[in-house]
Amino acid sequence: MTDLEKVTERIEREEFARGHIDPGEEPSVPRPAATTIVACARSRSAEYRVLLLRRPDTARFAAGAYVFAGGVIDAEDAAASAVALLPERLRRVEAPAAVAALRELFEETGFLPADRPVAADAAARARAALLRGDAGFAGAMEEVGASFHHLRAAYLSRWITPAQFARRYDTRFFLTLIQAASPPDPELTKELAGHVWIAPGDAVREFTAGRLPMLFPTRRTLQILAAERDLASFLDRSDDANPQPIEPRLLVRGDTVRPVLPGDAGYDEAE
């Protein structure tokens, strides 16, 4: 077993211990969710880093893990006024999920990658209204005059939590590229414990060394991105993608818990 596989197994074993169903218990229905992978570079072809957010050690799901910004899809995310804010390519597939991904990014970090700059005080008021539940995303964006028609983004993948976990999500992963001289500092909510901007390959190496805990889908996504030096071209190739769900299973043998994918050894006997 490689070092990467050993660390993966340990992280998944810890998550399994925090919450799993009993043998014979009916799996829960996964909650629809969305996440945004924010990449930042000086130019389209420059080396880029991605934003990872650290969840508190007391969190009920993925405690202490580094994750991408995201959360559950709300009913208001499907509103026509919210979908109309998106670039055309994101309206064609999983539009409510794309709205949710942008909303969660704004709520959790304060980032608003709109077509035109939004004044900081106006953005802060809109974010506060969202967090209080006084406004939906469409209403908050109308208030500050924000839209995302020119957002450089693509629908990258879709992951469904294994059936043995008590808390399950059906999560759509979106990737967006922002250009800046240096990555901006997020203004995190109290639901998060920290952040890091890091090159995908470095993130995988830190994970393997046991210094950057991540769940399986996050780590696999970073492995894919680490192989893509030209992220803008990767986004171009992903424009019309409509990914099929990826459904890992858990191979539980004694004290070991290992996520496996179709084609992996042990997948057919895993649950």
Side-chain angles (χ1 to χ4, degrees), residues 2-269:
T2 66
D3 289 343
L4 187 147
E5 290 171 331
K6 289 177 182 177
V7 177
T8 298
E9 184 177 281
R10 177 177 63 79
I11 297 295
E12 297 296 332
R13 183 175 66 247
E14 292 171 355
E15 188 65 26
F16 184 77
R18 271 191 289 270
H20 61 275
I21 62 175
D22 295 325
E25 187 178 346
E26 191 70 20
S28 63
V29 176
R31 300 179 70 186
T35 192
T36 302
I37 308 156
V38 181
C40 181
R42 287 193 178 92
S43 65
R44 283 175 56 94
S45 58
E47 183 180 12
Y48 66 93
R49 286 179 278 176
V50 297
L51 176 66
L52 293 174
L53 307 175
R54 187 178 184 277
R55 290 179 60 78
D57 293 333
T58 55
R60 295 175 63 190
F61 180 78
Y66 283 83
V67 300
F68 304 118
V72 174
I73 300 171
D74 292 340
E76 289 185 348
D77 294 327
S81 54
V83 172
L85 297 170
L86 299 173
E88 182 180 350
R89 59 186 171 277
L90 291 185
R91 289 181 231 163
R92 292 195 294 264
V93 290
E94 299 282 2
V99 171
L102 281 171
R103 174 181 54 76
E104 289 285 343
L105 175 66
F106 184 43
E107 289 180 352
E108 292 185 351
T109 69
F111 290 165
L112 194 63
D115 296 332
R116 297 178 180 177
V118 175
D121 57 344
R125 288 194 299 271
R127 185 185 182 198
L130 272 174
L131 291 171
R132 290 194 306 268
D134 293 342
F137 189 64
M141 295 303 96
E142 182 180 4
E143 186 69 24
V144 299
S147 64
F148 306 89
H149 298 152
H150 303 296
L151 182 70
R152 198 71 201 89
Y155 180 20
L156 185 62
S157 60
R158 178 180 173 187
W159 288 80
I160 298 178
T161 309
Q164 287 170 283
F165 282 123
R167 298 175 69 86
R168 302 182 67 210
Y169 299 92
D170 182 352
T171 307
R172 286 74 167 170
F173 283 61
F174 294 87
L175 173 65
T176 187
L177 175 62
I178 60 175
Q179 292 185 15
S182 60
D185 286 329
E187 297 179 5
L188 302 181
T189 66
K190 294 180 180 179
E191 295 179 359
L192 297 164
H195 79 282
V196 62
W197 285 99
I198 189 169
D202 291 341
V204 175
R205 284 187 285 274
E206 287 293 293
F207 172 84
T208 305
R211 293 189 290 264
L212 201 70
M214 294 181 282
L215 295 184
F216 187 58
T218 308
R219 192 262 292 171
R220 288 297 293 255
T221 299
L222 289 167
Q223 283 182 297
I224 293 170
L225 294 178
E228 298 293 338
R229 294 188 178 276
D230 187 344
L231 196 61
S233 296
F234 180 64
L235 283 167
D236 289 340
R237 298 197 307 272
S238 304
D239 262 355
D240 294 316
N242 189 9
Q244 295 301 304
I246 302 170
E247 301 188 54
R249 294 179 180 178
L250 290 182
L251 186 61
V252 181
R253 290 175 173 166
D255 292 333
T256 66
V257 179
R258 182 162 59 90
V260 288
L261 294 171
D264 289 347
Y267 182 81
D268 290 338
E269 60 184 285

